[in-house]
PDB file of all heavy atoms in Angstrom:
ATOM      1  N   SER A   8      -4.344   5.037  13.743  1.00  0.00           N
ATOM      2  CA  SER A   8      -4.546   6.451  13.417  1.00  0.00           C
ATOM      3  C   SER A   8      -4.254   6.698  11.949  1.00  0.00           C
ATOM      4  O   SER A   8      -3.530   5.930  11.308  1.00  0.00           O
ATOM      5  CB  SER A   8      -3.633   7.327  14.279  1.00  0.00           C
ATOM      6  OG  SER A   8      -3.753   6.988  15.652  1.00  0.00           O
ATOM      7  N   PHE A   9      -4.800   7.787  11.436  1.00  0.00           N
ATOM      8  CA  PHE A   9      -4.580   8.102  10.024  1.00  0.00           C
ATOM      9  C   PHE A   9      -4.774   9.589   9.766  1.00  0.00           C
ATOM     10  O   PHE A   9      -5.197  10.351  10.642  1.00  0.00           O
ATOM     11  CB  PHE A   9      -5.525   7.283   9.143  1.00  0.00           C
ATOM     12  CG  PHE A   9      -6.966   7.757   9.137  1.00  0.00           C
ATOM     13  CD1 PHE A   9      -7.490   8.403   8.036  1.00  0.00           C
ATOM     14  CD2 PHE A   9      -7.803   7.535  10.236  1.00  0.00           C
ATOM     15  CE1 PHE A   9      -8.816   8.823   8.013  1.00  0.00           C
ATOM     16  CE2 PHE A   9      -9.118   7.949  10.223  1.00  0.00           C
ATOM     17  CZ  PHE A   9      -9.632   8.603   9.112  1.00  0.00           C
ATOM     18  N   THR A  10      -4.479   9.999   8.541  1.00  0.00           N
ATOM     19  CA  THR A  10      -4.756  11.355   8.093  1.00  0.00           C
ATOM     20  C   THR A  10      -5.267  11.288   6.665  1.00  0.00           C
ATOM     21  O   THR A  10      -5.155  10.248   5.996  1.00  0.00           O
ATOM     22  CB  THR A  10      -3.508  12.254   8.186  1.00  0.00           C
ATOM     23  OG1 THR A  10      -3.893  13.611   7.955  1.00  0.00           O
ATOM     24  CG2 THR A  10      -2.447  11.854   7.164  1.00  0.00           C
ATOM     25  N   ALA A  11      -5.845  12.390   6.184  1.00  0.00           N
ATOM     26  CA  ALA A  11      -6.362  12.463   4.814  1.00  0.00           C
ATOM     27  C   ALA A  11      -6.061  13.834   4.242  1.00  0.00           C
ATOM     28  O   ALA A  11      -6.152  14.844   4.944  1.00  0.00           O
ATOM     29  CB  ALA A  11      -7.862  12.197   4.790  1.00  0.00           C
ATOM     30  N   SER A  12      -5.703  13.865   2.968  1.00  0.00           N
ATOM     31  CA  SER A  12      -5.376  15.136   2.331  1.00  0.00           C
ATOM     32  C   SER A  12      -5.524  14.991   0.825  1.00  0.00           C
ATOM     33  O   SER A  12      -6.090  14.009   0.327  1.00  0.00           O
ATOM     34  CB  SER A  12      -3.951  15.560   2.715  1.00  0.00           C
ATOM     35  OG  SER A  12      -3.687  16.881   2.274  1.00  0.00           O
ATOM     36  N   ALA A  13      -4.995  15.972   0.077  1.00  0.00           N
ATOM     37  CA  ALA A  13      -4.933  15.919  -1.380  1.00  0.00           C
ATOM     38  C   ALA A  13      -3.496  16.201  -1.798  1.00  0.00           C
ATOM     39  O   ALA A  13      -2.619  16.375  -0.949  1.00  0.00           O
ATOM     40  CB  ALA A  13      -5.900  16.928  -1.989  1.00  0.00           C
ATOM     41  N   GLY A  14      -3.238  16.256  -3.096  1.00  0.00           N
ATOM     42  CA  GLY A  14      -1.890  16.378  -3.615  1.00  0.00           C
ATOM     43  C   GLY A  14      -0.984  17.386  -2.923  1.00  0.00           C
ATOM     44  O   GLY A  14       0.115  17.027  -2.460  1.00  0.00           O
ATOM     45  N   PRO A  15      -1.391  18.658  -2.814  1.00  0.00           N
ATOM     46  CA  PRO A  15      -0.524  19.648  -2.156  1.00  0.00           C
ATOM     47  C   PRO A  15      -0.195  19.286  -0.710  1.00  0.00           C
ATOM     48  O   PRO A  15       0.932  19.487  -0.250  1.00  0.00           O
ATOM     49  CB  PRO A  15      -1.359  20.932  -2.231  1.00  0.00           C
ATOM     50  CG  PRO A  15      -2.252  20.737  -3.402  1.00  0.00           C
ATOM     51  CD  PRO A  15      -2.586  19.285  -3.408  1.00  0.00           C
ATOM     52  N   GLY A  16      -1.169  18.752   0.022  1.00  0.00           N
ATOM     53  CA  GLY A  16      -0.932  18.342   1.401  1.00  0.00           C
ATOM     54  C   GLY A  16       0.007  17.164   1.496  1.00  0.00           C
ATOM     55  O   GLY A  16       0.848  17.077   2.398  1.00  0.00           O
ATOM     56  N   LEU A  17      -0.129  16.217   0.533  1.00  0.00           N
ATOM     57  CA  LEU A  17       0.762  15.056   0.527  1.00  0.00           C
ATOM     58  C   LEU A  17       2.207  15.467   0.259  1.00  0.00           C
ATOM     59  O   LEU A  17       3.142  14.857   0.777  1.00  0.00           O
ATOM     60  CB  LEU A  17       0.300  14.035  -0.519  1.00  0.00           C
ATOM     61  CG  LEU A  17      -0.616  12.908  -0.041  1.00  0.00           C
ATOM     62  CD1 LEU A  17       0.137  11.940   0.847  1.00  0.00           C
ATOM     63  CD2 LEU A  17      -1.848  13.431   0.674  1.00  0.00           C
ATOM     64  N   SER A  18       2.394  16.515  -0.544  1.00  0.00           N
ATOM     65  CA  SER A  18       3.758  17.011  -0.780  1.00  0.00           C
ATOM     66  C   SER A  18       4.396  17.442   0.533  1.00  0.00           C
ATOM     67  O   SER A  18       5.577  17.178   0.781  1.00  0.00           O
ATOM     68  CB  SER A  18       3.724  18.192  -1.760  1.00  0.00           C
ATOM     69  OG  SER A  18       3.205  17.792  -3.012  1.00  0.00           O
ATOM     70  N   LEU A  19       3.621  18.092   1.388  1.00  0.00           N
ATOM     71  CA  LEU A  19       4.140  18.540   2.675  1.00  0.00           C
ATOM     72  C   LEU A  19       4.405  17.371   3.619  1.00  0.00           C
ATOM     73  O   LEU A  19       5.240  17.469   4.520  1.00  0.00           O
ATOM     74  CB  LEU A  19       3.149  19.508   3.328  1.00  0.00           C
ATOM     75  CG  LEU A  19       2.925  20.847   2.613  1.00  0.00           C
ATOM     76  CD1 LEU A  19       1.794  21.609   3.277  1.00  0.00           C
ATOM     77  CD2 LEU A  19       4.191  21.674   2.604  1.00  0.00           C
ATOM     78  N   MET A  20       3.706  16.265   3.414  1.00  0.00           N
ATOM     79  CA  MET A  20       3.837  15.120   4.327  1.00  0.00           C
ATOM     80  C   MET A  20       5.005  14.196   3.995  1.00  0.00           C
ATOM     81  O   MET A  20       5.260  13.247   4.736  1.00  0.00           O
ATOM     82  CB  MET A  20       2.546  14.288   4.293  1.00  0.00           C
ATOM     83  CG  MET A  20       1.330  14.964   4.880  1.00  0.00           C
ATOM     84  SD  MET A  20      -0.082  13.833   4.785  1.00  0.00           S
ATOM     85  CE  MET A  20      -1.402  14.927   5.335  1.00  0.00           C
ATOM     86  N   MET A  21       5.704  14.423   2.902  1.00  0.00           N
ATOM     87  CA  MET A  21       6.679  13.441   2.427  1.00  0.00           C
ATOM     88  C   MET A  21       7.755  13.100   3.462  1.00  0.00           C
ATOM     89  O   MET A  21       8.147  11.942   3.604  1.00  0.00           O
ATOM     90  CB  MET A  21       7.316  13.912   1.125  1.00  0.00           C
ATOM     91  CG  MET A  21       6.447  13.648  -0.087  1.00  0.00           C
ATOM     92  SD  MET A  21       6.014  11.890  -0.230  1.00  0.00           S
ATOM     93  CE  MET A  21       4.629  11.996  -1.350  1.00  0.00           C
ATOM     94  N   GLU A  22       8.251  14.094   4.188  1.00  0.00           N
ATOM     95  CA  GLU A  22       9.275  13.802   5.185  1.00  0.00           C
ATOM     96  C   GLU A  22       8.710  12.927   6.299  1.00  0.00           C
ATOM     97  O   GLU A  22       9.370  11.999   6.789  1.00  0.00           O
ATOM     98  CB  GLU A  22       9.850  15.087   5.767  1.00  0.00           C
ATOM     99  CG  GLU A  22      11.042  14.845   6.678  1.00  0.00           C
ATOM    100  CD  GLU A  22      11.665  16.132   7.206  1.00  0.00           C
ATOM    101  OE1 GLU A  22      11.084  17.215   6.995  1.00  0.00           O
ATOM    102  OE2 GLU A  22      12.727  16.039   7.847  1.00  0.00           O
ATOM    103  N   ALA A  23       7.456  13.217   6.682  1.00  0.00           N
ATOM    104  CA  ALA A  23       6.815  12.417   7.732  1.00  0.00           C
ATOM    105  C   ALA A  23       6.562  10.991   7.257  1.00  0.00           C
ATOM    106  O   ALA A  23       6.717  10.031   8.020  1.00  0.00           O
ATOM    107  CB  ALA A  23       5.507  13.073   8.164  1.00  0.00           C
ATOM    108  N   ILE A  24       6.166  10.834   5.999  1.00  0.00           N
ATOM    109  CA  ILE A  24       5.964   9.483   5.457  1.00  0.00           C
ATOM    110  C   ILE A  24       7.285   8.718   5.496  1.00  0.00           C
ATOM    111  O   ILE A  24       7.334   7.527   5.807  1.00  0.00           O
ATOM    112  CB  ILE A  24       5.385   9.558   4.032  1.00  0.00           C
ATOM    113  CG1 ILE A  24       3.949  10.101   4.078  1.00  0.00           C
ATOM    114  CG2 ILE A  24       5.393   8.176   3.365  1.00  0.00           C
ATOM    115  CD1 ILE A  24       3.348  10.403   2.723  1.00  0.00           C
ATOM    116  N   GLY A  25       8.380   9.412   5.198  1.00  0.00           N
ATOM    117  CA  GLY A  25       9.698   8.792   5.313  1.00  0.00           C
ATOM    118  C   GLY A  25      10.014   8.388   6.735  1.00  0.00           C
ATOM    119  O   GLY A  25      10.618   7.336   6.986  1.00  0.00           O
ATOM    120  N   LEU A  26       9.599   9.221   7.702  1.00  0.00           N
ATOM    121  CA  LEU A  26       9.798   8.897   9.127  1.00  0.00           C
ATOM    122  C   LEU A  26       9.065   7.607   9.487  1.00  0.00           C
ATOM    123  O   LEU A  26       9.601   6.747  10.188  1.00  0.00           O
ATOM    124  CB  LEU A  26       9.318  10.052   9.998  1.00  0.00           C
ATOM    125  CG  LEU A  26       9.310   9.818  11.513  1.00  0.00           C
ATOM    126  CD1 LEU A  26      10.738   9.659  12.035  1.00  0.00           C
ATOM    127  CD2 LEU A  26       8.603  10.966  12.229  1.00  0.00           C
ATOM    128  N   SER A  27       7.817   7.486   8.997  1.00  0.00           N
ATOM    129  CA  SER A  27       7.039   6.268   9.247  1.00  0.00           C
ATOM    130  C   SER A  27       7.772   5.042   8.716  1.00  0.00           C
ATOM    131  O   SER A  27       7.870   4.014   9.394  1.00  0.00           O
ATOM    132  CB  SER A  27       5.659   6.388   8.589  1.00  0.00           C
ATOM    133  OG  SER A  27       5.013   5.135   8.505  1.00  0.00           O
ATOM    134  N   GLY A  28       8.305   5.153   7.492  1.00  0.00           N
ATOM    135  CA  GLY A  28       9.017   4.023   6.903  1.00  0.00           C
ATOM    136  C   GLY A  28      10.315   3.717   7.622  1.00  0.00           C
ATOM    137  O   GLY A  28      10.638   2.548   7.878  1.00  0.00           O
ATOM    138  N   MET A  29      11.075   4.762   7.981  1.00  0.00           N
ATOM    139  CA  MET A  29      12.375   4.566   8.623  1.00  0.00           C
ATOM    140  C   MET A  29      12.239   3.943  10.008  1.00  0.00           C
ATOM    141  O   MET A  29      13.018   3.078  10.406  1.00  0.00           O
ATOM    142  CB  MET A  29      13.107   5.906   8.736  1.00  0.00           C
ATOM    143  CG  MET A  29      14.522   5.820   9.304  1.00  0.00           C
ATOM    144  SD  MET A  29      15.288   7.432   9.477  1.00  0.00           S
ATOM    145  CE  MET A  29      14.381   8.113  10.864  1.00  0.00           C
ATOM    146  N   THR A  30      11.203   4.369  10.755  1.00  0.00           N
ATOM    147  CA  THR A  30      11.015   3.876  12.123  1.00  0.00           C
ATOM    148  C   THR A  30      10.110   2.650  12.188  1.00  0.00           C
ATOM    149  O   THR A  30       9.808   2.154  13.276  1.00  0.00           O
ATOM    150  CB  THR A  30      10.404   4.984  13.003  1.00  0.00           C
ATOM    151  OG1 THR A  30       9.148   5.395  12.441  1.00  0.00           O
ATOM    152  CG2 THR A  30      11.340   6.182  13.093  1.00  0.00           C
ATOM    153  N   GLU A  31       9.637   2.202  11.003  1.00  0.00           N
ATOM    154  CA  GLU A  31       8.736   1.049  10.924  1.00  0.00           C
ATOM    155  C   GLU A  31       7.509   1.238  11.812  1.00  0.00           C
ATOM    156  O   GLU A  31       7.137   0.375  12.610  1.00  0.00           O
ATOM    157  CB  GLU A  31       9.484  -0.252  11.283  1.00  0.00           C
ATOM    158  CG  GLU A  31      10.641  -0.540  10.343  1.00  0.00           C
ATOM    159  CD  GLU A  31      11.346  -1.850  10.636  1.00  0.00           C
ATOM    160  OE1 GLU A  31      10.845  -2.626  11.470  1.00  0.00           O
ATOM    161  OE2 GLU A  31      12.389  -2.102  10.027  1.00  0.00           O
ATOM    162  N   THR A  32       6.886   2.414  11.639  1.00  0.00           N
ATOM    163  CA  THR A  32       5.661   2.751  12.369  1.00  0.00           C
ATOM    164  C   THR A  32       4.479   2.719  11.405  1.00  0.00           C
ATOM    165  O   THR A  32       4.522   3.382  10.364  1.00  0.00           O
ATOM    166  CB  THR A  32       5.766   4.160  12.991  1.00  0.00           C
ATOM    167  OG1 THR A  32       6.938   4.227  13.794  1.00  0.00           O
ATOM    168  CG2 THR A  32       4.534   4.475  13.832  1.00  0.00           C
ATOM    169  N   PRO A  33       3.409   1.988  11.706  1.00  0.00           N
ATOM    170  CA  PRO A  33       2.241   1.956  10.822  1.00  0.00           C
ATOM    171  C   PRO A  33       1.670   3.360  10.617  1.00  0.00           C
ATOM    172  O   PRO A  33       1.624   4.161  11.567  1.00  0.00           O
ATOM    173  CB  PRO A  33       1.246   1.068  11.570  1.00  0.00           C
ATOM    174  CG  PRO A  33       2.054   0.299  12.555  1.00  0.00           C
ATOM    175  CD  PRO A  33       3.218   1.159  12.918  1.00  0.00           C
ATOM    176  N   PHE A  34       1.223   3.651   9.414  1.00  0.00           N
ATOM    177  CA  PHE A  34       0.692   4.987   9.134  1.00  0.00           C
ATOM    178  C   PHE A  34      -0.159   4.914   7.871  1.00  0.00           C
ATOM    179  O   PHE A  34       0.342   4.598   6.800  1.00  0.00           O
ATOM    180  CB  PHE A  34       1.849   5.968   8.950  1.00  0.00           C
ATOM    181  CG  PHE A  34       1.437   7.383   8.632  1.00  0.00           C
ATOM    182  CD1 PHE A  34       0.314   7.957   9.208  1.00  0.00           C
ATOM    183  CD2 PHE A  34       2.195   8.151   7.748  1.00  0.00           C
ATOM    184  CE1 PHE A  34      -0.055   9.266   8.921  1.00  0.00           C
ATOM    185  CE2 PHE A  34       1.841   9.457   7.458  1.00  0.00           C
ATOM    186  CZ  PHE A  34       0.718  10.021   8.041  1.00  0.00           C
ATOM    187  N   VAL A  35      -1.466   5.179   7.995  1.00  0.00           N
ATOM    188  CA  VAL A  35      -2.381   5.180   6.842  1.00  0.00           C
ATOM    189  C   VAL A  35      -2.629   6.617   6.404  1.00  0.00           C
ATOM    190  O   VAL A  35      -2.976   7.477   7.218  1.00  0.00           O
ATOM    191  CB  VAL A  35      -3.714   4.475   7.180  1.00  0.00           C
ATOM    192  CG1 VAL A  35      -4.701   4.621   6.023  1.00  0.00           C
ATOM    193  CG2 VAL A  35      -3.466   2.998   7.480  1.00  0.00           C
ATOM    194  N   VAL A  36      -2.435   6.871   5.113  1.00  0.00           N
ATOM    195  CA  VAL A  36      -2.628   8.199   4.533  1.00  0.00           C
ATOM    196  C   VAL A  36      -3.612   8.083   3.369  1.00  0.00           C
ATOM    197  O   VAL A  36      -3.461   7.204   2.520  1.00  0.00           O
ATOM    198  CB  VAL A  36      -1.308   8.788   4.003  1.00  0.00           C
ATOM    199  CG1 VAL A  36      -1.510  10.221   3.549  1.00  0.00           C
ATOM    200  CG2 VAL A  36      -0.211   8.705   5.048  1.00  0.00           C
ATOM    201  N   ILE A  37      -4.601   8.969   3.319  1.00  0.00           N
ATOM    202  CA  ILE A  37      -5.556   8.976   2.214  1.00  0.00           C
ATOM    203  C   ILE A  37      -5.275  10.182   1.336  1.00  0.00           C
ATOM    204  O   ILE A  37      -5.245  11.324   1.818  1.00  0.00           O
ATOM    205  CB  ILE A  37      -7.009   9.021   2.726  1.00  0.00           C
ATOM    206  CG1 ILE A  37      -7.306   7.744   3.521  1.00  0.00           C
ATOM    207  CG2 ILE A  37      -7.989   9.137   1.573  1.00  0.00           C
ATOM    208  CD1 ILE A  37      -8.294   7.929   4.623  1.00  0.00           C
ATOM    209  N   ASN A  38      -5.056   9.947   0.048  1.00  0.00           N
ATOM    210  CA  ASN A  38      -4.816  11.024  -0.913  1.00  0.00           C
ATOM    211  C   ASN A  38      -5.982  11.099  -1.882  1.00  0.00           C
ATOM    212  O   ASN A  38      -6.141  10.239  -2.748  1.00  0.00           O
ATOM    213  CB  ASN A  38      -3.511  10.783  -1.668  1.00  0.00           C
ATOM    214  CG  ASN A  38      -3.237  11.867  -2.719  1.00  0.00           C
ATOM    215  OD1 ASN A  38      -3.922  12.885  -2.765  1.00  0.00           O
ATOM    216  ND2 ASN A  38      -2.231  11.652  -3.545  1.00  0.00           N
ATOM    217  N   THR A  39      -6.817  12.120  -1.742  1.00  0.00           N
ATOM    218  CA  THR A  39      -7.927  12.345  -2.666  1.00  0.00           C
ATOM    219  C   THR A  39      -7.397  13.263  -3.770  1.00  0.00           C
ATOM    220  O   THR A  39      -7.456  14.486  -3.649  1.00  0.00           O
ATOM    221  CB  THR A  39      -9.128  12.986  -1.942  1.00  0.00           C
ATOM    222  OG1 THR A  39      -8.710  14.223  -1.363  1.00  0.00           O
ATOM    223  CG2 THR A  39      -9.648  12.089  -0.843  1.00  0.00           C
ATOM    224  N   GLN A  40      -6.909  12.676  -4.843  1.00  0.00           N
ATOM    225  CA  GLN A  40      -6.242  13.443  -5.893  1.00  0.00           C
ATOM    226  C   GLN A  40      -7.152  14.510  -6.506  1.00  0.00           C
ATOM    227  O   GLN A  40      -8.344  14.280  -6.693  1.00  0.00           O
ATOM    228  CB  GLN A  40      -5.770  12.502  -7.000  1.00  0.00           C
ATOM    229  CG  GLN A  40      -4.793  11.454  -6.560  1.00  0.00           C
ATOM    230  CD  GLN A  40      -4.565  10.444  -7.657  1.00  0.00           C
ATOM    231  OE1 GLN A  40      -3.647  10.568  -8.456  1.00  0.00           O
ATOM    232  NE2 GLN A  40      -5.407   9.425  -7.708  1.00  0.00           N
ATOM    233  N   ARG A  41      -6.542  15.649  -6.844  1.00  0.00           N
ATOM    234  CA  ARG A  41      -7.250  16.729  -7.530  1.00  0.00           C
ATOM    235  C   ARG A  41      -6.339  17.284  -8.618  1.00  0.00           C
ATOM    236  O   ARG A  41      -5.234  16.812  -8.823  1.00  0.00           O
ATOM    237  CB  ARG A  41      -7.646  17.816  -6.540  1.00  0.00           C
ATOM    238  CG  ARG A  41      -6.464  18.583  -5.962  1.00  0.00           C
ATOM    239  CD  ARG A  41      -6.895  19.500  -4.842  1.00  0.00           C
ATOM    240  NE  ARG A  41      -5.980  20.629  -4.659  1.00  0.00           N
ATOM    241  CZ  ARG A  41      -6.099  21.532  -3.702  1.00  0.00           C
ATOM    242  NH1 ARG A  41      -7.083  21.429  -2.829  1.00  0.00           N
ATOM    243  NH2 ARG A  41      -5.255  22.535  -3.603  1.00  0.00           N
ATOM    244  N   GLY A  42      -6.810  18.319  -9.328  1.00  0.00           N
ATOM    245  CA  GLY A  42      -6.022  18.899 -10.401  1.00  0.00           C
ATOM    246  C   GLY A  42      -4.771  19.592  -9.893  1.00  0.00           C
ATOM    247  O   GLY A  42      -4.752  20.145  -8.795  1.00  0.00           O
ATOM    248  N   GLY A  43      -3.726  19.583 -10.684  1.00  0.00           N
ATOM    249  CA  GLY A  43      -2.473  20.220 -10.305  1.00  0.00           C
ATOM    250  C   GLY A  43      -1.843  20.850 -11.530  1.00  0.00           C
ATOM    251  O   GLY A  43      -2.477  20.952 -12.573  1.00  0.00           O
ATOM    252  N   PRO A  44      -0.578  21.265 -11.436  1.00  0.00           N
ATOM    253  CA  PRO A  44       0.339  21.131 -10.292  1.00  0.00           C
ATOM    254  C   PRO A  44       0.165  22.234  -9.249  1.00  0.00           C
ATOM    255  O   PRO A  44      -0.738  23.059  -9.383  1.00  0.00           O
ATOM    256  CB  PRO A  44       1.716  21.233 -10.955  1.00  0.00           C
ATOM    257  CG  PRO A  44       1.480  22.129 -12.122  1.00  0.00           C
ATOM    258  CD  PRO A  44       0.081  21.827 -12.608  1.00  0.00           C
ATOM    259  N   SER A  45       1.047  22.235  -8.241  1.00  0.00           N
ATOM    260  CA  SER A  45       1.047  23.199  -7.142  1.00  0.00           C
ATOM    261  C   SER A  45      -0.287  23.165  -6.419  1.00  0.00           C
ATOM    262  O   SER A  45      -0.847  22.108  -6.180  1.00  0.00           O
ATOM    263  CB  SER A  45       1.374  24.605  -7.657  1.00  0.00           C
ATOM    264  OG  SER A  45       1.546  25.497  -6.581  1.00  0.00           O
ATOM    265  N   THR A  46      -0.843  24.330  -6.042  1.00  0.00           N
ATOM    266  CA  THR A  46      -2.132  24.334  -5.344  1.00  0.00           C
ATOM    267  C   THR A  46      -3.242  23.877  -6.273  1.00  0.00           C
ATOM    268  O   THR A  46      -4.279  23.425  -5.843  1.00  0.00           O
ATOM    269  CB  THR A  46      -2.456  25.740  -4.811  1.00  0.00           C
ATOM    270  OG1 THR A  46      -2.354  26.674  -5.894  1.00  0.00           O
ATOM    271  CG2 THR A  46      -1.481  26.124  -3.717  1.00  0.00           C
TER     272      THR A  46
END
């Protein structure tokens, strides 16, 4: 399974990405970078 987002969405996912690493659960995330900062 996977998800896809851009910079602002990835900011919201950071705790979940940490959960994936801490629990050693595979997790693919796609970040389609766009202009920033913030929204």
